[in-house]
Amino acid sequence: MVFLPNDRRGHSSVTELVRTRILPNGYDLAAFAFLAAATVLTLHGIAEMHQPLEGLASSPLSLDPARLPEYALRTTLRMLAAIIASLVFTFVVATLAAKSRRAETIIIPALDILQSVPVLGFLTFTVTFFMGLFPGSQLGAECASIFAIFTSQAWNMTFSFYQSLRTVPRDLDEVSRGFGLSAWQRFWRLEAPFAAPGLVWNTMMSMSGGWFFVVASEAITVGNTTVQLPGLGSWLALAIDRQDLTAVAWAVLAMAVVIVLYDQLLFRPIVAWADKFRFEQTAGQQKPRSWVYSLIRHTRLLKRLTAPLAAIWGRLLLMRFRSSRPAVAMRQPARQASTRAFDYAWFALVAALGIWGAWTVVSYLGQTLSGNDVWEAFSGGFVTLIRVTVLIVIASLIWVPLGVWIGLRPAVAERVQPVAQFLAAFPANVLFPVAVVAIVATGASPNIWLSPLMVLGTQWYILFNVIAGASAFPTDLREVSSVYQLRSWTWWRRAILPGIFPYYVTGALTASGGSWNASIVAEMVSWGDTKLEAFGLGSYIAKATEAGDFPRVILGIAVMSLFVTLFNRTLWRPLYVYAERRLRLD
């Protein structure tokens, strides 16, 4: 028999470590394992991005399934880098547009134009720039690809955040001002939390929407410049070009695995965390759940290590950053007159810049193009406009009821969320072979039956925004509707439709712009040597980009921007104003 000494000092020191939460628990070990794996994979992907450009030629793209994990990692890192850039852009630009009326006069029309500019249009001008910025390195092509994915993600998130900032309940805003919160404190304590649920769902939609153009962003062909970056998009483009259905199936399977992983490890924890920012006056009955979020909440050492960062962030939120004001205020009439004069000068400057830009484009195009080119672009624009309008109406009739049903049931939303992300991410390129074979076999008109390909990736903007609106619908309003026994059409007209309307407008606006963008790849499709083309502005831009015809690319982008801007100004902007004035939660 062995007797062990009873070391009370040793026991007390261990007890002290446990009491102060320094010793890790099982949750800490799991969390550190995830962090270590993510760090190693990220560093490996970044190192590969800095390889010499000649490596792409010496190691061409392969359809070997063993290369899929590496390609999936490279594509995921590009999309995460683009989503981070989109978040920074959203917080800066959307906030400036919502807070400054003068900035809004430039930012919102610019966003209308930018969301209509196709990814191929950005690639036409940015590939050469980034390749020259990092000569001889793959980093230039990587930056061009990330920027192209960014252009397919940022606008939706920006419009969502802008809409939320403009519809913050007035009573909460008045209370925050009554407590003397500065603009900085009011933004982080009220406005950003109020906008969080909608922004989270739109970030998920943007992440999924980026997959739709991942082929165009990784397999870059502009004129005589061709770059194929290792990734799922390049794999898919090569598989379609070789008519290899097995390789296409492998790419779709890899994409599904990646979507499930970042849904479980990233977006589902964020959804569960953002639920606390819902605008409620009564306690919610059901809350979204996440095993990763629960794991993080049960960690001990991880919380201890991140406590200093949390303390710094808390101190930063307490800072006022109040702008200095003159001690003697101007008289009210004089101040109003000065503001009005400055507004007139600002609007005149904006109008002058717009006229100068339009004249520069017209002068450049007039030197190289004829009236027939302009007529072809405008007539194609009208045809594409009809397609977009019809498809948005059909998508709204389908997805608004389903989105409301899903959003009001958090348990259902948990199950539907990864499925919806996969369907939103499913690239239309995979269905091109089916569409080409079916149209050729039946002799159907490409002008009609290629149109559904335009809305495959953009209809989900409507669904995700409606789910976000229904999820944020206050529980007390639901209970009041139940008490007054609102049923059927009365419930839709008096309760839920006004509640989700601002979110729907954001979703429909971005779906409309995305459909214009998708027309580039949907109106001209190919499978091997078989090519089908539908008359429209998208096919006009696609042909010009493939030929490296910059004047026609500029003309097509200018016409598309004009159509989208006029459409947004005559329909979506008035609906935005109506939602802001009549349907906010006050």
XYZ file of all heavy atoms in Angstrom, residues 132-222:
716
model
N -0.704 44.462 -63.195
C 0.399 45.410 -63.201
C 0.825 45.825 -61.816
O 1.976 46.195 -61.585
N -0.129 45.766 -60.856
C 0.186 46.152 -59.485
C 1.101 45.125 -58.811
O 1.957 45.480 -57.987
C -1.116 46.305 -58.681
C -1.046 47.020 -57.341
C -0.581 48.456 -57.516
C -2.410 46.985 -56.650
N 0.926 43.839 -59.173
C 1.774 42.772 -58.623
C 2.363 41.983 -59.787
O 1.926 40.848 -60.067
C 0.963 41.848 -57.712
C 0.333 42.546 -56.543
C -1.001 42.939 -56.583
C 1.076 42.820 -55.408
C -1.586 43.573 -55.508
C 0.502 43.464 -54.324
C -0.832 43.849 -54.377
N 3.343 42.550 -60.483
C 3.878 41.867 -61.679
C 4.594 40.573 -61.319
O 5.338 40.507 -60.331
C 4.845 42.903 -62.264
C 5.215 43.775 -61.109
C 4.016 43.817 -60.217
N 4.349 39.549 -62.125
C 5.024 38.281 -61.937
C 4.536 37.454 -60.772
O 5.130 36.427 -60.447
N 3.447 37.861 -60.105
C 2.940 37.150 -58.949
C 1.475 36.792 -59.166
O 0.728 37.524 -59.820
C 3.079 37.992 -57.678
O 2.446 37.366 -56.571
N 1.074 35.651 -58.593
C -0.330 35.270 -58.664
C -1.217 36.200 -57.847
O -2.434 36.198 -58.016
C -0.507 33.830 -58.154
C 0.139 32.770 -58.998
C -0.148 31.369 -58.492
O -1.154 31.121 -57.824
N 0.750 30.431 -58.791
N -0.604 36.990 -56.973
C -1.384 37.877 -56.113
C -2.187 38.882 -56.928
O -3.297 39.271 -56.523
C -0.464 38.603 -55.134
C -1.159 39.389 -54.007
C -2.032 38.470 -53.175
C -0.124 40.078 -53.126
N -1.653 39.333 -58.078
C -2.403 40.256 -58.918
C -3.682 39.629 -59.436
O -4.766 40.240 -59.364
N -3.588 38.393 -59.957
C -4.789 37.694 -60.417
C -5.726 37.383 -59.259
O -6.957 37.436 -59.408
C -4.389 36.407 -61.139
N -5.166 37.067 -58.087
C -5.987 36.810 -56.911
C -6.779 38.054 -56.517
O -7.971 37.973 -56.196
C -5.116 36.354 -55.732
C -4.440 35.006 -55.918
C -5.403 33.852 -55.716
O -6.554 34.090 -55.317
O -4.997 32.699 -55.963
N -6.126 39.203 -56.527
C -6.810 40.455 -56.185
C -7.908 40.767 -57.193
O -8.998 41.239 -56.820
C -5.816 41.606 -56.107
S -4.687 41.527 -54.698
N -7.658 40.522 -58.473
C -8.685 40.738 -59.492
C -9.877 39.823 -59.257
O -11.040 40.243 -59.388
C -8.096 40.505 -60.888
N -9.622 38.575 -58.892
C -10.701 37.637 -58.611
C -11.487 38.054 -57.365
O -12.723 38.025 -57.362
C -10.134 36.224 -58.429
O -11.137 35.313 -58.084
N -10.776 38.432 -56.311
C -11.445 38.872 -55.078
C -12.285 40.121 -55.339
O -13.410 40.241 -54.838
C -10.403 39.122 -53.968
C -9.764 37.794 -53.547
C -11.026 39.812 -52.767
C -8.585 37.953 -52.609
N -11.749 41.046 -56.120
C -12.508 42.257 -56.421
C -13.768 41.930 -57.219
O -14.834 42.520 -56.993
C -11.636 43.239 -57.208
C -12.320 44.547 -57.510
C -12.404 45.534 -56.546
C -12.887 44.781 -58.756
C -13.051 46.737 -56.814
C -13.526 45.978 -59.039
C -13.603 46.959 -58.065
N -13.669 40.974 -58.145
C -14.849 40.583 -58.921
C -15.913 39.957 -58.019
O -17.111 40.244 -58.156
C -14.445 39.607 -60.024
N -15.496 39.113 -57.073
C -16.456 38.528 -56.128
C -17.044 39.614 -55.237
O -18.242 39.598 -54.918
C -15.764 37.436 -55.295
C -15.273 36.308 -56.200
C -16.714 36.877 -54.248
C -14.435 35.268 -55.486
N -16.215 40.576 -54.823
C -16.683 41.711 -54.024
C -17.808 42.455 -54.729
O -18.804 42.842 -54.105
C -15.497 42.640 -53.739
C -15.891 44.020 -53.282
C -16.186 44.265 -51.953
C -15.970 45.079 -54.185
C -16.549 45.543 -51.532
C -16.319 46.340 -53.775
C -16.620 46.575 -52.438
N -17.690 42.657 -56.035
C -18.715 43.391 -56.773
C -20.028 42.620 -56.873
O -21.063 43.211 -57.195
C -18.229 43.725 -58.188
O -17.935 42.509 -58.900
C -16.990 44.600 -58.153
N -20.001 41.311 -56.600
C -21.245 40.548 -56.589
C -21.831 40.416 -55.187
O -22.916 39.853 -55.033
C -21.002 39.141 -57.165
O -20.159 38.382 -56.323
N -21.137 40.936 -54.164
C -21.587 40.796 -52.781
C -21.949 42.112 -52.115
O -22.893 42.175 -51.322
C -20.479 40.121 -51.948
C -20.160 38.706 -52.340
C -18.998 38.135 -51.538
O -18.186 38.878 -50.975
N -18.912 36.820 -51.470
N -21.221 43.178 -52.413
C -21.270 44.387 -51.586
C -22.586 45.135 -51.690
O -23.083 45.677 -50.695
C -20.113 45.317 -51.967
N -23.183 45.203 -52.881
C -24.332 46.092 -53.070
C -25.536 45.630 -52.255
O -26.253 46.455 -51.671
C -24.682 46.179 -54.549
C -23.502 46.140 -55.470
C -23.320 45.353 -56.557
C -22.301 46.951 -55.401
N -22.113 45.580 -57.161
C -21.463 46.560 -56.473
C -21.849 47.944 -54.531
C -20.216 47.134 -56.696
C -20.606 48.505 -54.744
C -19.812 48.112 -55.813
N -25.776 44.329 -52.209
C -26.909 43.815 -51.450
C -26.773 44.155 -49.971
O -27.735 44.609 -49.325
C -26.990 42.299 -51.660
C -28.038 41.648 -50.801
O -29.186 42.063 -50.806
N -27.666 40.632 -50.063
N -25.598 43.971 -49.411
C -25.369 44.261 -48.000
C -25.492 45.758 -47.726
O -26.044 46.177 -46.703
C -23.990 43.753 -47.601
C -23.843 42.249 -47.737
S -22.122 41.673 -47.720
C -21.590 42.287 -46.134
N -24.985 46.572 -48.651
C -25.048 48.024 -48.459
C -26.484 48.519 -48.466
O -26.883 49.330 -47.615
C -24.235 48.727 -49.558
O -22.898 48.224 -49.547
C -24.198 50.227 -49.330
N -27.287 48.055 -49.409
C -28.691 48.462 -49.458
C -29.438 48.011 -48.207
O -30.289 48.750 -47.685
C -29.361 47.886 -50.707
C -29.112 48.688 -51.951
C -28.544 48.098 -53.068
C -29.431 50.025 -52.023
C -28.292 48.829 -54.217
C -29.200 50.771 -53.161
C -28.633 50.169 -54.261
N -29.152 46.813 -47.706
C -29.817 46.322 -46.507
C -29.482 47.188 -45.298
O -30.375 47.587 -44.534
C -29.403 44.868 -46.240
O -29.847 44.444 -44.977
N -28.210 47.491 -45.108
C -27.795 48.302 -43.960
C -28.353 49.718 -44.068
O -28.803 50.301 -43.068
C -26.269 48.317 -43.881
C -25.733 48.688 -42.526
C -25.934 47.878 -41.433
C -25.007 49.855 -42.342
C -25.438 48.205 -40.190
C -24.503 50.204 -41.107
C -24.719 49.373 -40.024
N -28.345 50.265 -45.265
C -28.900 51.600 -45.488
C -30.387 51.629 -45.154
O -30.874 52.549 -44.483
C -28.665 51.995 -46.945
C -29.442 53.207 -47.417
C -29.044 54.498 -47.096
C -30.576 53.047 -48.201
C -29.755 55.598 -47.530
C -31.293 54.145 -48.646
C -30.880 55.412 -48.309
O -31.607 56.493 -48.748
N -31.125 50.614 -45.610
C -32.559 50.563 -45.333
C -32.828 50.458 -43.837
O -33.730 51.121 -43.297
C -33.177 49.376 -46.070
C -34.602 49.045 -45.663
C -34.686 47.873 -44.707
O -33.956 46.896 -44.848
N -35.545 47.977 -43.716
N -32.033 49.662 -43.130
C -32.233 49.513 -41.690
C -31.920 50.804 -40.941
O -32.650 51.183 -40.012
C -31.357 48.369 -41.156
O -31.715 47.139 -41.738
N -30.863 51.491 -41.328
C -30.520 52.752 -40.663
C -31.594 53.812 -40.878
O -31.822 54.660 -40.006
C -29.170 53.267 -41.169
C -27.936 52.437 -40.821
C -26.674 53.101 -41.371
C -27.805 52.235 -39.321
N -32.253 53.773 -42.017
C -33.291 54.768 -42.296
C -34.629 54.438 -41.647
O -35.524 55.283 -41.630
C -33.489 54.900 -43.813
C -32.279 55.453 -44.561
C -31.913 56.854 -44.082
N -32.983 57.800 -44.316
C -33.078 58.576 -45.391
N -32.139 58.519 -46.325
N -34.075 59.421 -45.529
N -34.784 53.223 -41.133
C -36.064 52.819 -40.534
C -35.929 52.486 -39.052
O -36.745 51.748 -38.509
C -36.638 51.610 -41.288
O -35.681 50.545 -41.297
C -36.990 51.969 -42.714
N -34.914 53.018 -38.383
C -34.798 52.841 -36.934
C -36.008 53.489 -36.261
O -36.381 54.618 -36.595
C -33.496 53.478 -36.408
C -33.451 53.452 -34.883
C -32.291 52.739 -36.975
N -36.692 52.805 -35.336
C -37.862 53.396 -34.675
C -37.561 54.750 -34.054
O -36.547 54.926 -33.377
C -38.212 52.345 -33.609
C -37.694 51.066 -34.162
C -36.445 51.422 -34.907
N -38.458 55.699 -34.287
C -38.224 57.074 -33.811
C -38.179 57.144 -32.286
O -37.429 57.942 -31.717
C -39.321 57.993 -34.343
C -39.252 58.248 -35.843
C -40.219 59.351 -36.250
N -40.182 59.591 -37.679
C -40.974 58.990 -38.563
N -41.861 58.098 -38.144
N -40.895 59.251 -39.851
N -39.024 56.328 -31.602
C -39.029 56.411 -30.142
C -37.692 55.970 -29.549
O -37.201 56.572 -28.593
C -40.173 55.580 -29.566
C -40.181 54.151 -30.092
O -39.428 53.880 -31.051
O -40.932 53.315 -29.559
N -37.072 54.944 -30.129
C -35.759 54.530 -29.645
C -34.703 55.586 -29.945
O -33.804 55.828 -29.133
C -35.357 53.199 -30.292
C -36.222 51.986 -29.957
C -35.658 50.736 -30.598
C -36.324 51.795 -28.445
N -34.809 56.215 -31.096
C -33.865 57.279 -31.425
C -34.010 58.454 -30.463
O -33.015 59.029 -30.013
C -34.093 57.735 -32.872
C -33.079 58.766 -33.316
O -31.894 58.417 -33.467
O -33.461 59.943 -33.504
N -35.247 58.791 -30.133
C -35.473 59.896 -29.192
C -34.953 59.554 -27.798
O -34.385 60.409 -27.106
C -36.962 60.226 -29.146
C -37.500 60.836 -30.441
C -39.005 60.978 -30.430
O -39.625 60.555 -29.419
O -39.564 61.496 -31.413
N -35.127 58.307 -27.385
C -34.624 57.902 -26.072
C -33.100 57.988 -26.033
O -32.506 58.474 -25.057
C -35.096 56.473 -25.736
C -34.345 55.938 -24.521
C -36.581 56.462 -25.466
N -32.443 57.527 -27.103
C -30.974 57.581 -27.131
C -30.478 59.017 -27.098
O -29.477 59.318 -26.440
C -30.454 56.871 -28.379
O -30.848 57.562 -29.554
N -31.182 59.913 -27.787
C -30.802 61.325 -27.732
C -31.089 61.918 -26.359
O -30.345 62.773 -25.868
C -31.528 62.107 -28.822
C -31.119 61.699 -30.237
C -31.909 62.463 -31.290
N -31.614 61.971 -32.625
C -30.606 62.386 -33.380
N -29.797 63.327 -32.914
N -30.399 61.887 -34.580
N -32.182 61.462 -25.736
C -32.501 61.946 -24.396
C -31.455 61.566 -23.369
O -31.208 62.310 -22.417
N -30.827 60.412 -23.547
C -29.747 59.988 -22.656
C -28.422 60.655 -23.003
O -27.407 60.382 -22.356
C -29.583 58.476 -22.705
C -30.552 57.737 -21.833
C -31.628 57.062 -22.370
C -30.393 57.727 -20.451
C -32.517 56.382 -21.569
C -31.278 57.054 -19.640
C -32.361 56.380 -20.190
N -28.410 61.511 -24.014
C -27.207 62.259 -24.355
C -26.152 61.458 -25.076
O -24.962 61.803 -25.025
N -26.547 60.372 -25.763
C -25.567 59.583 -26.502
C -25.073 60.374 -27.711
O -25.859 61.017 -28.415
C -26.175 58.263 -26.974
C -26.680 57.305 -25.890
C -27.171 56.015 -26.526
C -25.596 57.008 -24.870
N -23.781 60.302 -27.952
C -23.215 60.959 -29.128
C -23.568 60.154 -30.379
O -24.106 59.039 -30.307
C -21.702 61.073 -28.996
O -21.103 59.787 -28.980
N -23.249 60.688 -31.547
C -23.546 59.981 -32.796
C -22.810 58.649 -32.856
O -23.356 57.638 -33.327
C -23.169 60.859 -33.994
N -21.551 58.627 -32.379
C -20.771 57.386 -32.340
C -21.431 56.361 -31.435
O -21.585 55.199 -31.793
C -19.359 57.699 -31.866
C -18.512 56.508 -31.538
C -18.293 55.977 -30.302
C -17.759 55.697 -32.456
N -17.450 54.896 -30.374
C -17.103 54.699 -31.705
C -17.555 55.715 -33.827
C -16.279 53.748 -32.269
C -16.733 54.758 -34.406
C -16.112 53.798 -33.641
N -21.833 56.762 -30.221
C -22.471 55.836 -29.292
C -23.838 55.392 -29.797
O -24.219 54.228 -29.656
C -22.613 56.506 -27.923
C -21.291 56.797 -27.238
C -21.459 57.642 -25.996
O -22.284 58.553 -25.960
N -20.676 57.348 -24.967
N -24.581 56.311 -30.396
C -25.905 55.963 -30.908
C -25.803 54.941 -32.041
O -26.641 54.052 -32.161
C -26.608 57.232 -31.391
C -28.095 57.064 -31.620
C -28.814 58.402 -31.630
N -28.262 59.314 -32.619
C -27.578 60.422 -32.319
N -27.363 60.730 -31.051
N -27.116 61.197 -33.266
N -24.743 55.058 -32.848
C -24.580 54.122 -33.953
C -24.347 52.708 -33.443
O -24.971 51.747 -33.903
C -23.411 54.563 -34.840
C -23.108 53.616 -35.967
C -23.867 53.626 -37.125
C -22.064 52.712 -35.865
C -23.592 52.749 -38.153
C -21.779 51.833 -36.893
C -22.541 51.855 -38.042
N -23.440 52.551 -32.458
C -23.083 51.215 -31.995
C -24.047 50.664 -30.963
O -24.129 49.441 -30.785
C -21.662 51.224 -31.418
C -20.613 51.412 -32.466
C -19.830 52.507 -32.657
C -20.242 50.473 -33.483
N -18.998 52.307 -33.733
C -19.228 51.062 -34.262
C -20.672 49.188 -33.819
C -18.635 50.416 -35.340
C -20.090 48.539 -34.889
C -19.078 49.148 -35.644
N -24.767 51.543 -30.252
C -25.691 51.070 -29.229
C -27.110 50.855 -29.758
O -27.868 50.078 -29.183
C -25.748 52.084 -28.065
C -24.441 52.230 -27.307
C -24.115 50.971 -26.532
N -22.930 51.160 -25.674
C -22.413 50.195 -24.929
N -22.962 48.991 -24.943
N -21.341 50.414 -24.200
N -27.485 51.527 -30.830
C -28.858 51.458 -31.323
C -28.918 51.049 -32.789
O -29.550 50.037 -33.137
C -29.561 52.807 -31.130
C -30.941 52.950 -31.800
C -31.918 51.928 -31.226
C -31.470 54.366 -31.643
N -28.272 51.808 -33.649
C -28.496 51.651 -35.092
C -27.884 50.357 -35.638
O -28.557 49.603 -36.360
C -27.947 52.876 -35.818
C -28.688 54.142 -35.466
C -27.951 55.407 -35.876
O -26.748 55.308 -36.197
O -28.568 56.495 -35.869
N -26.617 50.097 -35.312
C -25.994 48.864 -35.795
C -26.671 47.614 -35.232
O -26.921 46.657 -35.988
C -24.495 48.867 -35.474
N -27.010 47.558 -33.927
C -27.756 46.384 -33.446
C -29.115 46.221 -34.122
O -29.528 45.094 -34.411
C -27.911 46.658 -31.942
C -26.756 47.526 -31.599
C -26.553 48.395 -32.796
N -29.820 47.332 -34.366
C -31.125 47.228 -35.032
C -30.970 46.664 -36.439
O -31.828 45.902 -36.922
C -31.773 48.612 -35.090
C -33.109 48.613 -35.775
C -34.256 48.183 -35.120
C -33.231 49.046 -37.089
C -35.485 48.180 -35.755
C -34.455 49.046 -37.740
C -35.592 48.613 -37.065
N -29.876 47.016 -37.117
C -29.662 46.556 -38.488
C -29.032 45.175 -38.558
O -28.955 44.589 -39.649
C -28.777 47.560 -39.230
N -28.568 44.631 -37.420
C -27.802 43.382 -37.432
C -28.559 42.192 -38.019
O -28.013 41.468 -38.857
C -27.308 43.060 -36.021
N -29.820 41.901 -37.614
C -30.486 40.711 -38.171
C -30.590 40.735 -39.687
O -30.281 39.746 -40.358
C -31.872 40.744 -37.497
C -31.661 41.488 -36.222
C -30.646 42.541 -36.563
N -31.015 41.873 -40.257
C -31.107 41.951 -41.704
C -29.759 41.863 -42.390
O -29.623 41.220 -43.440
N -28.738 42.479 -41.779
C -27.405 42.442 -42.376
C -26.840 41.028 -42.360
O -26.176 40.606 -43.318
C -26.473 43.395 -41.624
C -25.031 43.460 -42.137
C -24.988 43.936 -43.582
C -24.185 44.376 -41.246
N -27.104 40.276 -41.298
C -26.595 38.904 -41.210
C -27.182 38.047 -42.327
O -26.459 37.322 -43.027
C -26.918 38.302 -39.825
C -26.665 36.800 -39.821
C -26.077 38.969 -38.752
N -28.491 38.130 -42.525
C -29.115 37.329 -43.577
C -28.651 37.777 -44.959
O -28.458 36.954 -45.861
C -30.637 37.413 -43.474
C -31.189 36.490 -42.428
C -31.488 36.788 -41.131
C -31.498 35.097 -42.580
N -31.952 35.684 -40.461
C -31.980 34.629 -41.339
C -31.418 34.208 -43.645
C -32.376 33.304 -41.138
C -31.819 32.887 -43.447
C -32.282 32.446 -42.213
N -28.465 39.066 -45.153
C -27.980 39.531 -46.451
C -26.514 39.181 -46.664
O -26.075 39.005 -47.812
C -28.199 41.041 -46.566
C -29.606 41.389 -46.999
O -29.951 41.340 -48.170
N -30.447 41.725 -46.025
N -25.742 39.085 -45.587
C -24.364 38.621 -45.727
C -24.342 37.164 -46.169
O -23.529 36.763 -47.024
C -23.611 38.778 -44.392
O -23.643 40.161 -43.995
C -22.166 38.343 -44.529
N -25.228 36.351 -45.603
C -25.334 34.966 -46.059
C -25.714 34.908 -47.535
O -25.171 34.117 -48.309
C -26.372 34.219 -45.219
C -25.895 33.815 -43.845
S -27.016 32.647 -43.049
C -28.436 33.683 -42.763
N -26.666 35.764 -47.927
C -27.087 35.774 -49.324
C -25.940 36.237 -50.223
O -25.737 35.690 -51.315
C -28.291 36.711 -49.473
C -28.799 36.854 -50.900
S -29.339 35.306 -51.627
C -28.353 35.253 -53.106
N -25.187 37.213 -49.786
C -24.067 37.697 -50.588
C -22.988 36.631 -50.720
O -22.379 36.486 -51.779
C -23.479 38.967 -49.960
O -24.406 40.028 -50.017
N -22.753 35.899 -49.633
C -21.771 34.819 -49.697
C -22.207 33.760 -50.701
O -21.411 33.273 -51.514
C -21.610 34.197 -48.307
C -20.487 33.190 -48.195
S -18.855 33.973 -48.228
C -17.807 32.562 -47.881
N -23.487 33.420 -50.664
C -24.001 32.440 -51.624
C -24.037 33.011 -53.030
O -23.735 32.315 -54.005
C -25.400 31.988 -51.200
O -25.375 31.360 -49.942
N -24.418 34.295 -53.141
C -24.463 34.904 -54.461
C -23.103 34.995 -55.117
O -23.004 35.007 -56.351
N -22.046 35.063 -54.307
C -20.704 35.107 -54.877
C -20.358 33.846 -55.646
O -19.583 33.890 -56.606
N -20.961 32.703 -55.244
C -20.702 31.460 -55.965
C -21.213 31.527 -57.400
O -20.697 30.848 -58.283
C -21.382 30.285 -55.249
C -20.715 29.855 -53.989
C -21.052 30.215 -52.723
C -19.606 28.970 -53.858
N -20.231 29.618 -51.808
C -19.329 28.835 -52.481
C -18.817 28.267 -54.768
C -18.306 28.044 -52.000
C -17.795 27.472 -54.298
C -17.548 27.355 -52.922
N -22.264 32.325 -57.617
C -22.872 32.390 -58.941
C -21.872 32.906 -59.972
O -21.887 32.500 -61.129
C -24.102 33.302 -58.882
C -24.934 33.294 -60.131
C -25.826 32.270 -60.367
C -24.813 34.300 -61.072
C -26.591 32.252 -61.513
C -25.579 34.291 -62.216
C -26.475 33.264 -62.442
N -20.973 33.805 -59.548
C -20.008 34.391 -60.473
C -18.591 33.909 -60.204
O -17.631 34.514 -60.690
C -20.063 35.918 -60.395
C -21.318 36.494 -60.948
C -22.332 36.908 -60.112
C -21.511 36.608 -62.320
C -23.504 37.434 -60.617
C -22.676 37.135 -62.838
C -23.677 37.548 -61.993
N -18.450 32.841 -59.413
C -17.111 32.381 -59.094
C -16.412 31.826 -60.337
O -15.178 31.877 -60.450
C -17.169 31.330 -57.959
C -17.669 29.992 -58.467
C -15.813 31.182 -57.284
N -17.184 31.315 -61.294
C -16.582 30.820 -62.534
C -15.957 31.966 -63.309
O -14.822 31.894 -63.782
C -17.629 30.078 -63.386
C -17.049 29.704 -64.748
C -18.118 28.841 -62.660
N -16.715 33.063 -63.431
C -16.201 34.214 -64.175
C -15.024 34.865 -63.471
O -14.145 35.444 -64.116
C -17.319 35.242 -64.384
N -14.971 34.786 -62.129
C -13.914 35.461 -61.385
C -12.631 34.644 -61.295
O -11.561 35.209 -61.041
C -14.404 35.800 -59.970
O -14.672 34.625 -59.235
N -12.710 33.319 -61.458
C -11.504 32.488 -61.369
C -10.975 32.069 -62.731
O -9.771 31.894 -62.899
C -11.795 31.241 -60.528
C -12.005 31.534 -59.058
C -12.224 30.287 -58.228
O -12.385 29.203 -58.815
O -12.235 30.393 -56.985
N -11.873 31.880 -63.687
C -11.455 31.576 -65.057
C -11.621 32.849 -65.876
O -12.653 33.093 -66.495
C -12.282 30.435 -65.637
N -10.598 33.699 -65.848
C -10.686 35.052 -66.390
C -10.201 35.043 -67.834
O -9.081 34.637 -68.120
C -9.844 36.037 -65.549
C -10.276 35.977 -64.075
C -9.972 37.445 -66.087
C -9.349 36.736 -63.152
N -11.057 35.513 -68.737
C -10.681 35.666 -70.140
C -11.160 37.026 -70.617
O -12.355 37.273 -70.710
C -11.298 34.565 -71.020
O -10.843 33.293 -70.561
C -10.885 34.732 -72.468
N -10.228 37.914 -70.866
C -10.520 39.254 -71.374
C -9.600 39.511 -72.557
O -8.399 39.722 -72.392
C -10.329 40.341 -70.283
C -10.641 41.711 -70.857
C -11.217 40.061 -69.088
